[in-house]
Amino acid sequence: MSTATADAATIDADWVLCTRCRAMVYGRRFERNLKVCPDCGHHHRLPARERAEQLLDPGTLEEIGSPVVTRDVLGFVDTVPYPERLERARRATGLSEGVLVAAGEIGGRPLVTAVMDFGFLGGSLGAAAGELIAGAADTALGRRVPLLIVAASGGARMQEGPISLMQMAKTSQALARLDEAGVLTIALITDPTFGGVAASFATQCDVVIAEPAARLGFAGRRVIEQTIGRELPAAFQTAEFLLERGFLDAVTPRHALRAELRGLLAAARPGVPSAPASPPGTLVRDPDLLDPIEPWQAVQQARDLERPTTLDYIGRAFRDFAELRGDRVGGDCPSIVGGVATLGGAPVMVIGHQRGHTAAELAARNYGMPSPSGYRKAARLMRTAAKLGLPVVTFVDTPGAHPGVEAEERGQAQAISQSIRLMADLPVPVVTVIIGEGGSGGALALAVADEVLIGERGVYSVISPEGCASILWNDAARAPSAAAALRVDARSLLRLKVVDAVIREPDGGSQADPQEAARRVAASLAASLARLAAAGPEELVRARGERYRAFGSELEGHHQWNEQ
């Protein structure tokens, strides 16, 4: 016999009615499909205990008891007294309050989870619910394991008035303690999540993912429509709507949630990557050991659309990649991709420019030219890496930052400058690989690193050769001369110490053998990160500062300014 959910009705002993498409679904099929309608994909609500059992490894769920008792501090009565409402909710859900706190494992990785139950007074946030969320955070802190919050709520609990309001601050403080301690936090948004829950702990986690079509917002749709006097778009406040606008990391179907969470939990255990074998001499630090490449030819090769992109390298050199999206202020730029992955068995935060290979991909990725939201997304991921103690790997492959009107209106210069400043002070190892074209500040915004590597046919420059030729000679046709004058090729960059090493590419370039190119990049990255692993945060920041201060310090007239 199938079990009815809060928004699916049991027709008889064997059939369930989907409340979205009105299709009748065989009960056992409905259960096997994790209570997702096989016809329309609607994700029906789950009771808290059933949700926890779906997510956690079998046999690992350990409910964490709590002496929290809900009190009627206001003596509130609407159509029935508040204590009577509470008793009805307890009988309906089998919970003493609207949050189930449990410890367990996902993919063998331990965590603490706080699962809200919408069936308990609409998942409303009262004093006891807030205390359970804060207590789950304290338990995660004590055990030094990640915290997963499954949010489902209509908002604050009106029957507790201002005491309910205070739970927003209490739970926010609890998450702040986890931030200070470097403990990973993940929120899973389910339908619906509104009001005080959405405006506090549900959107404060390091990673925020959502089920398809889950609604998330502060004010409800009806309230907004009444306020503004017009009808809202059908997709307004849905997970897909918010993902496009940079407020979520991912929208993940229920059947894929465990795999998604397993990949994210890998970030909770930092380590040192093991380096795969690579041909001798793969990483070259002496420019005299490199064959010269004519600079303009290097530019053309760097721009070859067949060269592996950031996502190609992530797919071949890393494992368990979980892409994270959004700048959390209103945008998600497809020209920069990033997320948690493992390299040589150890977790890293990997971020890079993404171009594409075909005309359609290039257009969709804006030719690898990021907008401000791209740099702000990268900065958000780097701050998360710093919190968790994860090394940062960046891939550079861009003609430059997007030069459009909208980019300027949204603060392109500020976004780039903030990324550069942030990278200068990151307390974790940072390694950059220039895999194609490194253009101007748009490239540097992802390249302020402890070690900067470049592919043998990569280029790096303050301006494109065409731009330089147009400005200085008023003749774009003189781009080859400009390329030579700018010393854009890898060999020249190594001699100038702008890059620290060159990664030899397979015969014919990385595009000729992407798998081998990825193996060489993985080996080079792992070796660099292993060298940097011994340095503490202060040493890393100091050495990084010295690296960039040295450029120009040998010029005549340089002084020790602190002695003046």
Side-chain angles (χ1 to χ4, degrees), residues 488-500:
V488 299
D489 60 291
R491 187 168 182 258
S492 296
L493 292 164
L494 184 58
R495 196 175 299 281
L496 290 167
K497 301 181 181 178
V498 171
V499 302
D500 299 283

Side-chain angles (χ1 to χ4, degrees), residues 138-181:
D138 289 343
T139 302
L141 179 60
R143 299 188 183 189
R144 307 293 296 190
V145 298
L147 173 66
L148 168 65
I149 297 173
V150 182
S153 177
R157 189 171 296 178
M158 292 178 288
Q159 293 89 342
E160 295 186 23
I163 303 304
S164 172
L165 188 65
M166 295 303 105
Q167 304 313 305
M168 296 171 65
K170 175 199 287 184
T171 53
S172 297
Q173 289 173 334
L175 262 66
R177 290 192 291 273
L178 296 183
D179 285 341
E180 293 169 3

Side-chain angles (χ1 to χ4, degrees), residues 465-479:
E466 295 92 336
C468 176
S470 295
I471 292 171
L472 296 184
W473 291 296
N474 199 29
D475 183 2
R478 296 193 62 178

Side-chain angles (χ1 to χ4, degrees), residues 101-411:
V101 179
E105 297 179 357
I106 297 179
R109 301 182 187 277
L111 75 157
V112 170
T113 183
V115 185
M116 305 188 75
D117 195 318
F118 193 79
F120 196 105
L121 297 181
S124 54
L125 181 62
E131 184 62 27
L132 287 166
I133 295 289
D138 289 343
T139 302
L141 179 60
R143 299 188 183 189
R144 307 293 296 190
V145 298
L147 173 66
L148 168 65
I149 297 173
V150 182
S153 177
R157 189 171 296 178
M158 292 178 288
Q159 293 89 342
E160 295 186 23
I163 303 304
S164 172
L165 188 65
M166 295 303 105
Q167 304 313 305
M168 296 171 65
K170 175 199 287 184
T171 53
S172 297
Q173 289 173 334
L175 262 66
R177 290 192 291 273
L178 296 183
D179 285 341
E180 293 169 3
V183 175
L184 175 66
T185 56
I186 304 170
L188 170 57
I189 305 299
T190 70
D191 186 65
T193 299
F194 280 110
V197 170
S200 59
F201 58 88
T203 53
Q204 291 172 354
C205 293
D206 299 314
V207 179
V208 183
I209 59 179
E211 288 192 327
R215 292 166 293 165
L216 171 68
F218 184 59
R221 182 188 187 94
R222 184 172 57 184
V223 171
I224 296 173
E225 287 182 334
Q226 289 174 348
T227 301
I228 66 175
R230 62 182 176 87
E231 188 175 346
L232 294 169
F236 185 72
Q237 292 182 319
T238 63
E240 294 76 10
F241 178 92
L242 296 167
L243 182 69
E244 290 179 2
R245 287 155 179 81
F247 295 109
L248 298 178
D249 286 289
V251 175
T252 305
R254 191 171 290 169
H255 67 82
L257 280 172
R258 275 178 47 83
E260 178 93 7
L261 292 169
R262 185 169 60 246
L264 291 169
L265 292 173
R269 294 186 176 180
V272 179
S274 58
S278 60
T282 292
L283 203 59
V284 180
R285 297 182 181 274
D286 182 351
D288 292 330
L289 298 179
L290 293 168
D291 295 329
I293 299 177
E294 198 276 321
W296 181 242
Q297 182 184 10
V299 171
Q300 300 302 104
Q301 292 176 340
R303 294 172 176 173
D304 190 329
L305 293 182
E306 296 303 313
R307 286 180 69 81
T309 65
T310 291
L311 286 177
D312 292 329
Y313 280 112
I314 288 174
R316 291 186 169 99
F318 298 79
R319 303 189 71 175
D320 303 317
F321 176 59
E323 184 175 358
L324 305 177
R325 293 177 55 182
D327 65 358
R328 294 295 187 272
V329 293
D332 180 59
C333 174
S335 301
I336 289 183
V337 297
V340 176
T342 57
L343 173 68
V348 299
M349 186 69 76
V350 56
I351 305 165
H353 301 97
Q354 177 64 21
R355 296 178 300 122
H357 297 291
T358 66
E361 289 174 342
L362 288 166
R365 299 285 182 177
N366 198 33
Y367 301 88
M369 297 186 294
S371 66
S373 63
Y375 294 112
R376 291 180 179 129
K377 172 171 64 175
R380 181 177 75 84
L381 300 189
M382 286 187 271
R383 284 192 291 269
T384 300
K387 168 188 166 175
L388 301 176
L390 299 182
V392 173
V393 171
T394 65
F395 289 106
V396 168
D397 188 14
T398 180
H402 181 58
V405 172
E406 186 176 352
E408 293 298 322
E409 290 176 340
R410 294 186 177 184

Side-chain angles (χ1 to χ4, degrees), residues 454-469:
I454 188 170
E456 195 172 6
R457 289 167 170 79
V459 296
Y460 195 18
S461 178
V462 69
I463 190 173
S464 70
E466 295 92 336
C468 176

